[in-house]
Amino acid sequence: MPRALPNSHKDVRKSVVHLLKNGRLFGRLFSANAIANLLNTAAEINIDAEHRFTKDIVRAAFSTGEKESAIPLANFGIEHSDSIIYTHSSQQNQRGASRQTTIGCFRNEAEARAAAVEQTAPRLNLIPDDQRDKLLKFINGRPSKDTQSNNDDDLVSARLLDEALDRIDQLEQQSTKSVPKEQLDKALARVELLKEHVRLMSKKRPVSPNAEQPTSSNRPKTTVKLRYLFDGEAGVVEIDSGQKYVSIDALLTGIKREHLTPEQKRDDCELKRKAADYSIKRINGCDAFVCAGTSVVMSNNLSALKSKAKKIDRLTNHFFGHSQCNFSPASKRCLAMFAQTNSGGSNEATLMVVAAAWKILDIEIGLGLSNNQIANATPSQTTLTNYEYRLAAECSLQMYKELEGKPYALSQDGANKGGIDHLVKTITYSRGTELVHVCLDVDSTGKDTQDIADALVSSLKRLEKYALDSKCIAIIGDSGGSGAIPAVFKLLIAYLGEWCRFLPCLLHAYIKSLENAIVTAMGRQGRGMNTCSQLVWTAMRMSRELVTRAHGKNTLFDFYFALAIEKLSVDDEWQKEAELKLGDSFDDWWEAINDPYAEEFEELYDSPRGLQLPLLTRWQTFLPAISVFLKHRVVFYFIAVEITQREKVGKQLHIYATELIRLMNIRTGNRQPVQGDSSPLVTQHVFLNAFNKAFFGNFFTLACQADPRFNLPGYFSPLGVERCYVAKRALTELSSAGGLERNDAFNAYFKALEGIPSDGEIKDGNLESFIKMRQTFFDVFNSTYTEHVESCWRHEPKIIVYIIGGDAVLAQWFIRWLIHCEENQGVVENAEMFEFPDIEIEIKHHNTNGDSVKVNVRECMQYIIGDKHAADILRDPLIKDNKDLLYLMAGAEQAVDLFNSDTWGTIDYSRLREMIISKIAIHPAQNQGVESMVLSTKIAGRTNCGEALKSCRVFLHSWIIRPFNKKSLEKKRERVLAKRAELAKCEEEHDTNHETETGVPEQQQSQQQQLSDSQEQSQVKKTADPKVQRTKDHERILGFSDLFDQINSEINQLENDAPDEFKLKRKELEQELSSTKTKYSETMLRKEMEMAKKANSKKKRTVYAAEQSSEGMYIPAAVGGAVTLSALLKGQHEAAVDKEIDARKIELTQPLHEMKWKDKKDLLKIDEHKKLSARPQGLFNPDGSGKTYQQIQEIMPVSEDMQALQLLLPKLMADKRARRAEKACSG
């Protein structure tokens, strides 16, 4: 039974003081843990006892809140002593480890502090004999061990009884006036209770009167082992515990020599003579004599030192002891993998960082390495490239192993990067419920459809050579150009098989629909074009020019933006111009910017960021730019005004500014701006912005996102069929009569139309032209949508079956229609002959805000199925091979959601769900994923690496870097969400407590709740989708290192499973990946050479008309070969220019005498541009781009007057140059 402990810090302090104040423990510091162990030993308390002394008890007993303290022994009741108890507490370290408290008894504080600096607190495993009995007696009041009985008395009760009696004595010695009677009675009552408790405990353990009490005479004798050092030799003898001396002969006899080797015995005398001096060392609580020059090390510490020494030896010998780099396979893999984070940089930079790491290691550890050793230990650039090829081969084998027996989807896209046409090929397959998208390889190919098809087949053959039983079942690509997916697919169908499916990129389809509608209804972009497209381009180009001047920063643009707002707020002239030129736009802006409670108040003061040039062919640039321009069009206008006052005429920025002002000042019928009218170009912007809000923005954004059930953006094919119906219905509602009027997004458009005059003609841009414009816009958009979207998602039977992976109700009725058609074959063939229910259901995942969409089942299914025959669909393997589960799914009472097992009932639909993921969900609906790989190709090619290495790097980037970026970002987002949720919970508790304390009335709380509804919605949205940046620094290095460990382990496991086969395939793949002979570009090169050889084998060559020139040698204007337009002056040469225009028979829009001088010269430029462009050789700039009429600087004269000037102008130009030179010299 363990001894009971003192139940107060006072008793613990007294125990420790009596322990440390006498004997050899005096004058030394000991840790709180060592003192606790000693107290447990003295009290015979087992180490695993529930109640025992601990370091926390000792530390708490002496805790003063200070780092160090000195307490006189007199405070502990010890008289006639000037010594102190000294405590020292170390600070908590950075890793959060608990602090250490050391305690000791000293003569004074100076000795104590010296011990704290010089002495490490030793462990206490021995108790001095002269202290043990006193300590035990003090701890529990029992007799010394020589006289104690075997009875386990209640030590605590006895001690407390003594304390109570002492307290009574103290109270009785005091004056009766100063001691309350109640306090004295309470103390007496406590004594009686303790006496009774001690008496009862004594009865429980009676002592036999006949029991023999141990004495010094009859106590049994015990023996102890005496270990000693005699003249440098160790020995052991056994002696009685009461023996007072040991003879020399006994000590000599006890010397042990069995452990000595013959060499040691032979050299003992000489060595003992050298080791004449010995010192005492404390080892694990015991003292030992150690010869001089020797240190004592614990065996576990010695093993650790040996292990560290081996590592240092290995480091210096293995890495730096050779004439070249000697990395292990794992190290090679590690270097190649980490180098992929610098795939856009050179290998030289990567290796210099490796060398720097060696150098830093040498500096910090002091290995004593020479620079030559560091250079030898660093691999060369060629070696690193070989590592990359090997890593690509190993990761490819990983992918092939994972892909065995699985279907996959193929994506492809071509682009010209670095002047070379590249074809990027990617595949997608399933890994459980996860979709994997990886780049297969990159080829340098042409744009010919046959070349693209052959390059794809070449890559697929290599894939299926290693990934056995894998099969391409779907393909996607762009729908335009020579590599258009419909044309390529026709060439691939023989290889891919009948049931391979293809999809054109949905993003391209949406953008093409928008581009065709805008160009047809509103006009193209282009310098000199008075179109809304050119207006928004000019505004963004002007803003980006300011950013460019500030070296890519927004400083200058922000300055102009703030300056425009500041001056517009106080300048009456600017305000009058704004009211006249901008009308309602300025009124709305002025009201919002002066209302702090307005929704857009802060946004109007903040300059926009991330401005991109709005191009219809570039995704998500055109409509977002219009939204920015409309919000800040007032400020954009006056930024342009500021620039025209600051910038020199003719400078590019001045041209953009004047162009912007000119386009914003255009009015219907070319009238001057008046109060209350609207800019027709800005009104078109308002229409497009409304269309973006009402339709385009939602569906284009959805096309960029992932199916919420999966993990990759753009992969939503199971939802694509029903989404096609939802989008078409929304588009039809807008384009129908009164559709725009019923949609609130177009309210601003109709308000702007009020400022468009109804008089005039359509060509003047009157109100009728806007009605015609919107009708044309929707007609073109609808027709293009049908051509590029509906043609596939609605009219292709092999794609319509994807609906079985979409909404559960629609999927169920689709299968019921198939069953009905199969049962009534030849009678029921299409949707018109089947009665779909006329019910409304809600389907999910078709709104960016998360809201569900209501659809009518009959209307939706009739739209989707149309006139298609069920017999064609029933043959489809997706239906045919899963007919058993599909038919059970159709007969279920409740619609079966394949991704919610709670709706399955007693049937297991796992196989059907797996089929949806592995054969439908893997088919991307848009090509953005492969286009991002094209950008990776551009990054990898920055260092002008070869085609083979570039292809490997893009593959490794898609296999390693991209998944790591995505998953690390998801983990970081989860942490941010958890932190926000925790903060929100704390704030909620704080608010609740605050309301409870303040007692806000319920009615007022309700009003406050209503006012904060919109803010709460915003906060919930922010919490649900936090915008976090990718990981970096420590977090990124840690995560990437963990990823390497995982990939390294997987590759090792792959190698261990089949070592010979793995090495053989790896070697074969390395050779294929590192050689351009396996690339399709080599095949194209051979074909090109064969064609050239065949063409040159003809006996007679073909002569073309373009080989003959119809013109002579070019003679510059300064020599008299042409007329330089800039040399013509209005006052001297206007008559000659008029006659030149007449001689060229140029059509005029107004009489020549009414035209401006600049307009006349522009007529000559345009006419000369037409003539030069019509030549067989065309008209091009040195970089190959076509020249515009504005770039025409010279004309070949036609009229006699201009020909006469042609002879005079060289002299005039020479005189002008002479005057300029003379002026320069004199100046």
Side-chain angles (χ1 to χ4, degrees):
M1 175 179 178
R3 302 291 182 183
L5 303 181
N7 63 352
S8 71
H9 289 162
K10 176 181 177 183
D11 300 324
V12 176
R13 285 194 291 270
K14 286 185 177 180
S15 302
V16 175
V17 169
H18 279 271
L19 171 68
L20 301 178
K21 73 183 181 66
N22 297 313
R24 60 182 178 180
L25 302 185
F26 183 88
R28 303 177 68 182
L29 278 175
F30 301 96
S31 69
N33 188 49
I35 294 173
N37 291 337
L38 185 58
L39 294 176
N40 288 325
T41 304
E44 298 180 356
I45 299 175
N46 295 330
I47 192 171
D48 56 349
E50 181 179 358
H51 300 288
R52 57 190 298 273
F53 287 97
T54 66
K55 62 181 180 180
D56 294 328
I57 293 176
V58 175
R59 183 186 297 152
F62 288 88
S63 176
T64 62
E66 302 292 335
K67 182 177 180 181
E68 60 178 3
S69 63
I71 307 172
L73 292 188
N75 291 8
F76 300 96
I78 300 175
E79 300 178 353
H80 310 296
S81 176
D82 296 328
S83 300
I84 62 169
I85 287 292
Y86 175 82
T87 63
H88 180 272
S89 298
S90 63
Q91 296 295 325
Q92 191 173 16
N93 62 27
Q94 294 180 352
R95 293 191 298 270
S98 59
R99 63 182 184 177
Q100 183 178 10
T101 300
T102 51
I103 306 171
C105 188
F106 298 87
R107 292 184 180 87
N108 51 56
E109 291 187 33
E111 291 184 3
R113 290 195 179 94
V117 173
E118 300 174 358
Q119 179 176 337
T120 302
R123 295 174 59 186
L124 287 175
N125 291 328
L126 290 179
I127 306 171
D129 292 336
D130 59 340
Q131 294 292 315
R132 181 180 180 87
D133 294 345
K134 295 179 181 179
L135 180 63
L136 288 173
K137 182 177 180 180
F138 185 82
I139 291 176
N140 46 43
R142 67 181 180 176
S144 65
K145 63 181 181 181
D146 293 334
T147 58
Q148 76 174 21
S149 68
N150 295 327
N151 298 331
D152 291 331
D153 297 329
D154 190 341
L155 301 176
V156 173
S157 299
R159 178 175 54 77
L160 295 177
L161 177 61
D162 293 340
E163 289 179 0
L165 291 172
D166 292 340
R167 177 62 176 162
I168 292 174
D169 293 337
Q170 293 175 6
L171 295 175
E172 288 177 346
Q173 291 173 5
Q174 297 179 12
S175 173
T176 55
K177 293 183 180 181
S178 62
V179 180
K181 185 177 183 302
E182 293 82 5
Q183 188 174 356
L184 186 60
D185 293 341
K186 185 176 180 180
L188 291 172
R190 178 174 174 78
V191 169
E192 294 300 324
L193 287 174
L194 290 171
K195 284 181 178 180
E196 180 65 18
H197 184 68
V198 172
R199 185 180 63 79
L200 292 174
M201 293 300 296
S202 300
K203 289 182 178 181
K204 290 181 182 179
R205 296 182 294 276
V207 181
S208 173
N210 299 324
E212 182 180 358
Q213 300 297 322
T215 63
S216 59
S217 59
N218 61 11
R219 185 185 300 116
K221 294 184 178 181
T222 59
T223 59
V224 296
K225 289 184 178 181
L226 175 66
R227 296 176 177 84
Y228 57 93
L229 194 68
F230 188 93
D231 193 24
E233 296 184 289
V236 179
V237 296
E238 290 189 357
I239 61 175
D240 294 337
S241 58
Q243 188 173 338
K244 297 183 181 296
Y245 62 88
V246 180
S247 66
I248 299 296
D249 292 338
L251 294 176
L252 291 172
T253 304
I255 292 176
K256 305 293 183 183
R257 300 182 62 84
E258 295 85 353
H259 61 287
L260 300 178
T261 64
E263 291 77 8
Q264 290 174 333
K265 292 178 181 179
R266 183 176 62 250
D267 299 336
D268 264 359
C269 295
E270 179 65 18
L271 293 176
K272 281 191 289 185
R273 185 184 65 78
K274 292 180 179 180
D277 191 19
Y278 294 88
S279 60
I280 300 175
K281 301 288 185 182
R282 174 61 67 115
I283 311 168
N284 201 22
C286 301
D287 287 339
F289 287 99
V290 179
C291 60
T294 304
S295 297
V296 179
V297 182
M298 300 295 293
S299 59
N300 58 340
N301 293 338
L302 181 61
S303 299
L305 290 174
K306 288 180 178 180
S307 176
K308 291 178 180 179
K310 286 181 180 179
K311 292 176 182 178
I312 295 296
D313 290 342
R314 180 173 175 80
L315 176 66
T316 54
N317 296 331
H318 182 74
F319 285 116
F320 306 106
H322 301 272
S323 60
Q324 61 182 8
C325 180
N326 194 31
F327 281 179
S328 66
S331 298
K332 296 175 182 178
R333 196 176 294 146
C334 179
L335 179 58
M337 181 168 162
F338 275 79
Q340 298 313 304
T341 59
N342 186 37
S343 58
S346 66
N347 277 354
E348 181 181 2
T350 302
L351 296 176
M352 291 304 287
V353 173
V354 174
W358 293 139
K359 192 71 176 176
I360 293 171
L361 190 67
D362 179 43
I363 294 171
E364 295 296 325
I365 300 179
L367 297 175
L369 301 175
S370 67
N371 291 334
N372 185 58
Q373 287 178 301
I374 291 175
N376 289 338
T378 305
S380 65
Q381 296 185 48
T382 302
T383 304
L384 177 55
T385 300
N386 292 334
Y387 291 174
E388 292 184 81
Y389 285 132
R390 168 159 289 196
L391 177 64
E394 292 173 336
C395 290
S396 295
L397 290 175
Q398 264 189 300
M399 179 186 69
Y400 295 148
K401 185 69 175 178
E402 196 172 59
L403 193 57
E404 286 183 357
K406 289 184 179 180
Y408 63 89
L410 174 68
S411 307
Q412 59 84 26
D413 189 31
N416 188 288
K417 301 299 179 185
I420 303 174
D421 289 321
H422 289 85
L423 179 65
V424 180
K425 293 155 280 184
T426 68
I427 61 170
T428 307
Y429 61 93
S430 62
R431 182 190 291 155
T433 58
E434 180 185 359
L435 302 182
V436 180
H437 181 225
V438 61
C439 178
L440 194 57
D441 62 24
V442 178
D443 269 330
S444 298
T445 61
K447 296 182 179 180
D448 184 72
T449 303
Q450 185 63 56
D451 288 337
I452 292 175
D454 291 343
L456 292 175
V457 171
S458 175
S459 297
L460 294 182
K461 285 182 178 179
R462 185 177 68 202
L463 169 67
E464 293 168 5
K465 168 186 172 183
Y466 293 101
L468 302 178
D469 299 325
S470 59
K471 181 67 176 176
C472 178
I473 64 168
I475 186 171
I476 188 174
D478 294 345
S479 56
S482 58
I485 187 60
V488 173
F489 186 75
K490 289 179 181 179
L491 299 176
L492 290 175
I493 195 68
Y495 178 80
L496 298 177
E498 177 188 1
W499 292 107
C500 184
R501 306 155 208 273
F502 83 89
L503 283 173
C505 175
L506 188 60
L507 292 180
H508 281 91
Y510 277 129
I511 287 295
K512 197 64 180 177
S513 301
L514 181 68
E515 179 186 2
N516 289 350
I518 291 176
V519 169
T520 306
M522 303 175 188
R524 295 182 179 275
Q525 285 178 339
R527 291 288 298 272
M529 299 291 292
N530 295 345
T531 62
C532 65
S533 303
Q534 184 60 25
L535 171 57
V536 68
W537 185 91
T538 305
M540 297 302 114
R541 187 66 185 86
M542 178 188 72
S543 305
R544 285 175 61 86
E545 183 66 22
L546 291 174
V547 174
T548 302
R549 288 195 175 188
H551 310 291
K553 298 180 180 179
N554 290 285
T555 309
L556 191 58
F557 176 68
D558 292 348
F559 174 79
Y560 273 99
F561 193 92
L563 186 63
I565 294 178
E566 181 182 355
K567 187 171 182 180
L568 191 56
S569 302
V570 298
D571 193 298
D572 294 337
E573 293 298 324
W574 274 30
Q575 292 176 11
K576 290 178 182 179
E577 182 177 355
E579 291 173 354
L580 177 64
K581 303 290 182 66
L582 304 176
D584 291 341
S585 301
F586 174 70
D587 295 338
D588 296 339
W589 178 86
W590 183 259
E591 181 179 351
I593 208 166
N594 287 286
D595 182 6
Y597 299 99
E599 184 179 353
E600 297 182 342
F601 176 75
E602 293 184 359
E603 296 179 3
L604 291 176
Y605 277 98
D606 295 335
S607 60
R609 289 289 188 271
L611 300 178
Q612 295 183 345
L613 287 180
L615 301 175
L616 286 169
T617 55
R618 187 177 297 167
W619 299 346
Q620 292 180 309
T621 60
F622 190 80
L623 293 180
I626 286 179
S627 177
V628 171
F629 175 74
L630 288 176
K631 180 184 292 185
H632 302 287
R633 60 186 180 272
V634 174
V635 182
F636 275 116
Y637 180 89
F638 284 99
I639 288 177
V641 171
E642 292 172 338
I643 291 173
T644 58
Q645 305 307 303
R646 153 73 179 83
E647 199 74 8
K648 291 182 179 180
V649 177
K651 292 290 186 179
Q652 198 65 46
L653 189 56
H654 189 278
I655 293 173
Y656 293 141
T658 53
E659 179 82 355
L660 175 63
I661 297 172
R662 183 184 68 81
L663 291 172
M664 292 187 72
N665 285 334
I666 289 177
R667 294 296 185 269
T668 300
N670 202 21
R671 306 173 185 177
Q672 291 300 315
V674 296
Q675 191 80 24
D677 63 359
S678 298
S679 165
L681 300 183
V682 174
T683 302
Q684 288 180 340
H685 284 163
V686 177
F687 171 82
L688 292 174
N689 191 49
F691 177 72
N692 187 42
K693 291 179 180 179
F695 173 81
F696 193 86
N698 179 64
F699 289 101
F700 190 87
T701 303
L702 285 172
C704 295
Q705 296 176 350
D707 185 328
R709 300 170 295 183
F710 308 113
N711 62 311
L712 285 180
Y715 287 76
F716 54 85
S717 291
L719 302 173
V721 177
E722 61 195 57
R723 184 171 294 172
C724 179
Y725 165 73
V726 174
K728 183 65 175 182
R729 186 184 67 174
L731 188 61
T732 304
E733 289 176 359
L734 282 180
S735 58
S736 62
L740 301 188
E741 288 79 1
R742 292 190 296 269
N743 195 302
D744 293 339
F746 287 88
N747 290 343
Y749 169 67
F750 287 111
K751 182 181 179 182
L753 282 182
E754 295 174 0
I756 301 296
S758 58
D759 58 336
E761 300 180 6
I762 290 179
K763 66 178 183 179
D764 297 326
N766 63 355
L767 186 60
E768 185 181 355
S769 71
F770 276 85
I771 298 174
K772 184 68 175 177
M773 177 270 298
R774 87 180 189 193
Q775 180 183 348
T776 304
F777 178 89
F778 280 111
D779 288 345
V780 175
F781 193 98
N782 268 299
S783 62
T784 311
Y785 182 87
T786 300
E787 177 185 356
H788 292 279
V789 180
E790 289 185 295
S791 62
C792 178
W793 290 101
R794 183 188 178 195
H795 296 293
E796 176 54 55
K798 288 191 291 188
I799 299 300
I800 290 175
V801 295
Y802 284 0
I803 195 174
I804 63 177
D807 180 76
V809 176
L810 297 179
Q812 187 179 46
W813 279 105
F814 178 78
I815 301 168
R816 287 177 179 175
W817 170 71
L818 289 177
I819 296 173
H820 188 71
C821 292
E822 186 179 34
E823 293 174 350
N824 299 274
Q825 193 170 8
V827 179
V828 177
E829 296 183 344
N830 53 43
E832 297 293 337
M833 301 180 181
F834 181 77
E835 189 67 23
F836 288 102
D838 187 15
I839 59 174
E840 277 196 348
I841 62 171
E842 291 187 353
I843 59 177
K844 300 178 181 178
H845 314 314
H846 301 293
N847 255 328
T848 52
N849 60 11
D851 294 342
S852 57
V853 178
K854 289 184 178 181
V855 298
N856 183 279
V857 173
R858 177 179 297 174
E859 292 177 1
C860 180
M861 296 308 300
Q862 288 180 350
Y863 169 85
I864 292 171
I865 296 173
D867 58 355
K868 283 169 284 298
H869 294 279
D872 298 332
I873 300 176
L874 287 167
R875 292 177 51 245
D876 194 305
L878 295 182
I879 303 296
K880 184 179 178 180
D881 297 345
N882 300 281
K883 188 180 292 186
D884 53 343
L885 288 178
L886 288 173
Y887 282 21
L888 290 173
M889 180 177 166
E893 294 183 3
Q894 179 186 0
V896 176
D897 185 351
L898 295 175
F899 295 89
N900 183 5
S901 57
D902 294 339
T903 65
W904 292 3
T906 58
I907 301 172
D908 185 6
Y909 290 98
S910 300
R911 175 165 57 87
L912 194 57
R913 180 178 62 184
E914 182 182 349
M915 184 274 292
I916 299 296
I917 298 173
S918 63
K919 295 186 177 181
I920 298 179
I922 64 169
H923 198 176
Q926 45 99 329
N927 219 24
Q928 192 175 23
V930 68
E931 292 203 9
S932 67
M933 299 288 184
V934 173
L935 296 178
S936 296
T937 304
K938 180 180 179 181
I939 294 173
R942 286 176 180 171
T943 56
N944 296 323
C945 59
E947 181 185 1
L949 183 57
K950 188 189 305 181
S951 180
C952 285
R953 285 179 174 176
V954 177
F955 162 70
L956 290 172
H957 197 270
S958 67
W959 183 255
I960 297 174
I961 305 298
R962 283 172 178 264
F964 168 72
N965 288 342
K966 183 175 182 295
K967 291 180 180 179
S968 62
L969 191 64
E970 288 174 353
K971 290 181 180 179
K972 187 174 181 179
R973 184 179 287 110
E974 290 174 1
R975 291 196 298 272
V976 172
L977 279 172
K979 188 173 182 179
R980 290 186 180 182
E982 183 179 353
L983 291 174
K985 184 178 179 181
C986 294
E987 291 177 359
E988 183 180 352
E989 293 176 353
H990 177 269
D991 294 341
T992 303
N993 296 335
H994 180 70
E995 290 177 3
T996 305
E997 294 172 359
T998 56
V1000 179
E1002 293 184 2
Q1003 183 178 3
Q1004 186 175 350
Q1005 292 180 14
S1006 176
Q1007 292 174 354
Q1008 293 175 352
Q1009 182 66 30
Q1010 292 175 2
L1011 290 173
S1012 63
D1013 277 347
S1014 60
Q1015 297 177 356
E1016 182 180 354
Q1017 292 288 341
S1018 175
Q1019 290 298 325
V1020 169
K1021 190 171 183 180
K1022 289 181 180 179
T1023 305
D1025 184 23
K1027 301 297 182 183
V1028 296
Q1029 296 179 345
R1030 76 170 197 168
T1031 56
K1032 61 179 181 178
D1033 301 334
H1034 171 272
E1035 189 177 14
R1036 186 169 181 81
I1037 295 171
L1038 176 63
F1040 200 77
S1041 299
D1042 292 340
L1043 177 63
F1044 166 74
D1045 293 340
Q1046 175 189 338
I1047 291 179
N1048 186 53
S1049 175
E1050 292 172 355
I1051 293 176
N1052 288 336
Q1053 183 62 44
L1054 200 62
E1055 183 176 6
N1056 295 335
D1057 291 342
D1060 296 336
E1061 180 184 359
F1062 179 85
K1063 292 178 181 178
L1064 182 64
K1065 288 183 177 180
R1066 181 177 64 186
K1067 183 178 180 181
E1068 186 178 352
L1069 262 176
E1070 276 188 76
Q1071 293 174 349
E1072 291 182 9
L1073 296 175
S1074 60
S1075 174
T1076 57
K1077 293 181 179 180
T1078 58
K1079 310 297 290 183
Y1080 187 74
S1081 57
E1082 286 289 319
T1083 305
M1084 285 184 57
L1085 186 60
R1086 288 194 298 269
K1087 286 172 61 177
E1088 186 71 23
M1089 290 188 292
E1090 289 174 2
M1091 291 173 63
K1093 184 177 180 180
K1094 183 178 179 181
N1096 290 330
S1097 64
K1098 293 181 181 180
K1099 294 182 179 179
K1100 187 177 181 180
R1101 77 178 188 88
T1102 304
V1103 180
Y1104 296 93
E1107 298 178 19
Q1108 304 299 322
S1109 176
S1110 59
E1111 303 173 356
M1113 173 183 172
Y1114 170 75
I1115 304 297
V1119 184
V1123 174
T1124 302
L1125 293 174
S1126 61
L1128 298 177
L1129 303 177
K1130 180 178 179 181
Q1132 301 178 21
H1133 309 128
E1134 188 168 9
V1137 170
D1138 291 347
K1139 290 185 178 181
E1140 180 70 17
I1141 293 173
D1142 290 337
R1144 289 174 176 260
K1145 298 180 180 180
I1146 299 174
E1147 294 184 5
L1148 303 177
T1149 56
Q1150 57 181 326
L1152 281 174
H1153 66 273
E1154 296 180 2
M1155 293 181 68
K1156 297 179 180 179
W1157 174 246
K1158 180 181 179 300
D1159 295 338
K1160 290 180 180 181
K1161 291 203 292 185
D1162 283 346
L1163 287 176
L1164 294 177
K1165 287 183 178 182
I1166 294 171
D1167 188 70
E1168 188 73 11
H1169 181 269
K1170 289 180 181 179
K1171 287 184 177 182
L1172 295 176
S1173 300
R1175 299 177 304 171
Q1177 64 267 35
L1179 182 63
F1180 300 97
N1181 290 311
D1183 61 358
S1185 60
K1187 273 191 175 182
T1188 62
Y1189 80 89
Q1190 292 97 336
Q1191 294 174 299
I1192 299 297
Q1193 304 295 329
E1194 302 170 347
I1195 63 170
M1196 295 301 295
V1198 176
S1199 66
E1200 293 180 357
D1201 290 22
M1202 191 62 71
Q1203 289 174 356
L1205 278 178
Q1206 181 181 0
L1207 301 175
L1208 296 175
L1209 284 178
K1211 185 178 184 307
L1212 295 175
M1213 295 171 64
D1215 293 342
K1216 184 178 180 180
R1217 289 194 298 270
R1219 288 195 300 270
R1220 189 162 53 242
E1222 182 180 353
K1223 182 179 179 180
C1225 293
S1226 63

